[in-house]
Amino acid sequence: MTVTDAQFGDFVARRWTALFRSAYLLTGNPQSAEELAQTALVQVYAARERIRDPDALESYARRTLAHEHVNEVRRLARLRGSPVPEAPVEDHAEAVASREELRHALAALPTRQRAIVIMRFFDDLSVAEVAKALGCTTGTVKKQTHRALSKLQQATAAHQPNGRPARHG
Amino acid sequence: MDELRRGLHDLAHSVDAPPPPDLSTLHGADDETPEARHGFTRPLMAAAAVVAIVAAGATTARLLDDAPAGDPAASWRAAGVPFLAYDGGTVTVRFGAGAYAVDSASRNADADPRVAAVAATEDSALAAVAAPGQNTPTTLVEVPADGPAYTVAEDAYGMALADPRGHLAAWTEPITDETWRVVAYDTDRREFAGTLEVPAGSSVEAVDGRQVFLYVEGDDPNGVWSVDAGPRITPLPGEIPGDKFVLDASADGGYLMVVDTGTVLYDPSGHVVHEFGADLFGTFDPDGTWVALVSPDPADGAYRVHEVATGKEVGLDLPDGVSPLSFRWSPDGGLVVKSFTDSDGDGEGTVRYDSCAVPEGGCAKLGELPVEVAERFDSSAWGQAMLTGPSD
């Protein structure tokens, strides 16, 4: 048994908005979010024969979303000739609302850490599911979660836009 | 966590979602006819093309019989560090006295294998070759100077690590869905030093002397495997919290560097020696005298070098505009720095390698690679594995 076109279409109709929102948290802007969500759906559609269970589409799509985002950022970094694959960070002085503060703090996280935070605390995936999605160990997910949360805490508490430690030496 | 969850939901709902994509033509994508795809939105078309290319791609790897003349890795080997070289134009990598050629049908960094030098001695190098993609196993290849290369492991997961002097490397391999094994390999003797069964998902955190520091799935995650003492795990010394993880250990497991909210240095009894106060990844020199730390964020470029016993900080004489990405100590105590540099600010930067003397601070340039080549040898924030395959 495989996922039928009708089942896939029903899934997209029901879950498109939720996927778009996850993509928005990952990318930080609506246009990129739409493109990312569409790209992920194409991947899911291409893999529908392996997925088999329609109930598994959701978790597969969310994993693909994060995976695609990490790959896309790396690809863009290569095109730019820079090994710094991070989302743009706007001037933090303009961010006065907590929502903007969180958006800035998320944008300042390394790509994979941002994906892990969103998968764990927005998509509510388990550590094991996140590890499977990103192709790493659960230990890695725990470490990266810890590190990301520390940075988010620093960034929001100290009003530092990038959450990075100060440069020394 | 609840506050973070609320914040994420609030942020996600602050924008209106566009209408869902028109999937009517996607359903006909399998027949590969242009007509069937007519009506796709542009991103969907592009993504569908990527799927097709990836599905059709093929990658092979082969060992060369001998190394080409003029091995540019010679100067790096002189520093005692197992670096890879790239001859430009083709995806061929060389290291040590042997050579390993990677041929790919795509010439696409997303599809080409990644190659890492895990450890090197005077007469051989241990290399990790990882297929592209996520969650794929790594093949570990021993390349001796005096004979043909051979495969040491075909199914290694995670990052294989070796100590700075290069005599012990360790990695994980799956046995079943529930059980993995940790494998220790003596790169000097070129033989397996031991194995240890661990829960699936466990990982090697550091290797020093004859000890392997592990993150073990379960309630008590941090442990030490003394390879010569048999297959058993002992807890970390002293009062080191179980939910922290080890970045590195000094020779023979004396000092431990542990990440908390910042990076903390513990002495052999488990007492805090120094708190670096920042989330930096560090690595001890082979004697445990110095520790070099670098930010895990490549955009940051922050780094510090400290004397372990006193906390004294020394500087490195690196040119302006050079941002360290990772450090590795050579067996003789020199510090090799991998950095990103964009001297003319045009965004077409390169990755350069310097050998720095500690504590004097003087640095000499070893070599330079295009970014797209250096990326193939992913920078690792974990100082000991400067060149790695796909990792966290």
Side-chain angles (χ1 to χ4, degrees):
Chain A
M1 181 183 128
T2 62
V3 174
T4 65
D5 285 354
Q7 288 170 323
F8 182 76
D10 178 61
F11 163 73
V12 173
R14 285 186 295 106
R15 302 304 298 162
W16 164 255
T17 299
L19 290 174
F20 168 80
R21 285 175 174 153
S22 289
Y24 174 66
L25 291 178
L26 287 166
T27 63
N29 79 73
Q31 184 179 3
S32 297
E34 183 177 7
E35 292 186 6
L36 175 63
Q38 288 193 358
T39 301
L41 285 177
V42 171
Q43 299 277 16
V44 173
Y45 184 78
R48 66 194 186 286
E49 291 187 0
R50 296 198 306 274
I51 299 173
R52 294 175 179 274
D53 180 6
D55 292 339
L57 285 171
E58 172 92 19
S59 61
Y60 193 93
R62 290 190 180 281
R63 293 201 301 266
T64 305
L65 201 66
H67 191 178
E68 282 300 311
H69 175 61
V70 171
N71 284 347
E72 175 67 4
V73 170
R74 292 175 64 185
R75 189 184 69 80
L76 291 175
R78 272 194 296 278
L79 291 176
R80 289 196 302 266
S82 164
V84 186
E86 302 310 328
V89 180
E90 298 169 14
D91 183 1
H92 189 265
E94 298 175 2
V96 291
S98 59
R99 179 189 297 163
E100 282 300 288
E101 201 168 85
L102 177 60
R103 190 170 71 82
H104 282 274
L106 280 174
L109 289 178
T111 309
R112 184 169 286 231
Q113 287 183 17
R114 182 164 62 248
I116 288 173
V117 165
I118 292 164
M119 294 173 85
R120 291 279 287 115
F121 302 110
F122 182 72
D123 297 336
D124 283 330
L125 298 184
S126 69
V127 170
E129 288 172 322
V130 175
K132 185 176 180 183
L134 297 178
C136 59
T137 67
T138 52
T140 296
V141 173
K142 291 175 184 176
K143 291 175 217 165
Q144 297 289 351
T145 302
H146 177 85
R147 188 164 295 120
L149 293 179
S150 296
K151 287 186 177 180
L152 286 175
Q153 188 177 32
Q154 290 171 12
T156 53
H159 296 277
Q160 294 174 352
N162 55 17
R164 297 169 187 150
R167 183 177 182 125
H168 297 270
Chain B
M1 292 313 111
D2 287 343
E3 187 178 353
L4 175 60
R5 284 192 169 90
R6 281 195 298 273
L8 289 171
H9 280 271
D10 179 50
L11 179 58
H13 285 77
S14 66
V15 293
D16 293 327
D22 176 9
L23 300 176
S24 59
T25 51
L26 181 64
H27 296 162
D30 288 345
D31 62 14
E32 297 292 335
T33 62
E35 292 78 9
R37 291 183 178 175
H38 180 72
F40 268 96
T41 63
R42 190 171 176 180
L44 275 174
M45 282 290 285
V50 168
V51 170
I53 292 169
V54 169
T59 299
T60 59
R62 59 189 169 83
L63 289 168
L64 298 179
D65 293 334
D66 50 46
D71 183 357
S75 61
W76 294 344
R77 284 206 310 279
V81 177
F83 276 130
L84 305 174
Y86 176 74
D87 60 7
T90 61
V91 188
T92 300
V93 289
R94 299 176 291 189
F95 55 91
Y100 198 90
V102 180
D103 298 330
S104 171
S106 69
R107 294 291 179 269
N108 179 336
D110 279 338
D112 290 334
R114 290 168 179 270
V115 185
V118 176
T121 61
E122 289 183 355
D123 58 1
S124 75
L126 181 65
V129 182
Q134 300 290 320
N135 208 21
T136 53
T138 297
T139 299
L140 293 169
V141 180
E142 180 81 61
V143 186
D146 55 356
Y150 52 90
T151 298
V152 173
E154 291 185 337
D155 203 20
Y157 276 77
M159 187 187 302
L161 293 180
D163 75 347
R165 296 192 194 278
H167 296 312
L168 196 69
W171 59 87
T172 54
E173 295 177 354
I175 302 175
T176 67
D177 286 346
E178 292 77 32
T179 305
W180 290 6
R181 69 165 70 88
V182 183
V183 179
Y185 180 77
D186 190 317
T187 57
D188 194 29
R189 298 176 181 173
R190 301 182 200 169
E191 63 184 23
F192 291 99
T195 62
L196 170 74
E197 290 194 7
V198 292
S202 302
S203 58
V204 174
E205 303 299 314
V207 180
D208 273 284
R210 302 293 288 179
Q211 298 189 111
V212 179
F213 292 83
L214 300 167
Y215 183 95
V216 183
E217 283 294 302
D219 296 332
D220 193 14
N222 287 313
V224 187
W225 173 32
S226 296
V227 172
D228 298 326
R232 59 178 175 273
I233 299 172
T234 56
L236 294 182
E239 305 295 324
I240 299 175
D243 60 341
K244 312 311 176 194
F245 61 95
V246 176
L247 281 178
D248 195 19
S250 64
D252 299 322
Y255 290 95
L256 285 173
M257 194 155 22
V258 175
V259 162
D260 195 331
T261 50
T263 299
V264 181
L265 191 63
Y266 289 87
D267 68 13
S269 61
H271 294 114
V272 174
V273 176
H274 193 78
E275 296 183 57
F276 294 106
D279 194 6
L280 301 171
F281 284 180
T283 177
F284 291 98
D285 80 329
D287 295 328
T289 304
W290 298 94
V291 59
L293 305 105
V294 66
S295 170
D297 186 342
D300 190 350
Y303 68 92
R304 301 164 74 171
V305 180
H306 287 264
E307 188 173 30
V308 172
T310 65
K312 172 188 170 188
E313 186 171 358
V314 300
L316 301 178
D317 187 19
L318 291 168
D320 290 340
V322 170
S323 299
L325 298 169
S326 60
F327 290 144
R328 183 179 175 110
W329 294 94
S330 60
D332 65 1
L335 181 62
V336 177
V337 184
K338 178 181 180 179
S339 310
F340 174 70
T341 178
D342 183 14
S343 54
D344 54 7
D346 63 356
E348 300 292 325
T350 58
V351 171
R352 61 178 273 162
Y353 302 86
D354 289 89
S355 179
C356 299
V358 176
E360 295 82 359
C363 298
K365 183 179 175 182
L366 292 173
E368 201 160 333
L369 290 173
V371 169
E372 64 272 20
V373 175
E375 192 184 53
R376 214 175 290 285
F377 318 135
D378 257 353
S379 166
S380 168
W382 310 81
Q384 287 194 352
M386 190 162 193
L387 304 172
T388 75
S391 66
D392 56 295

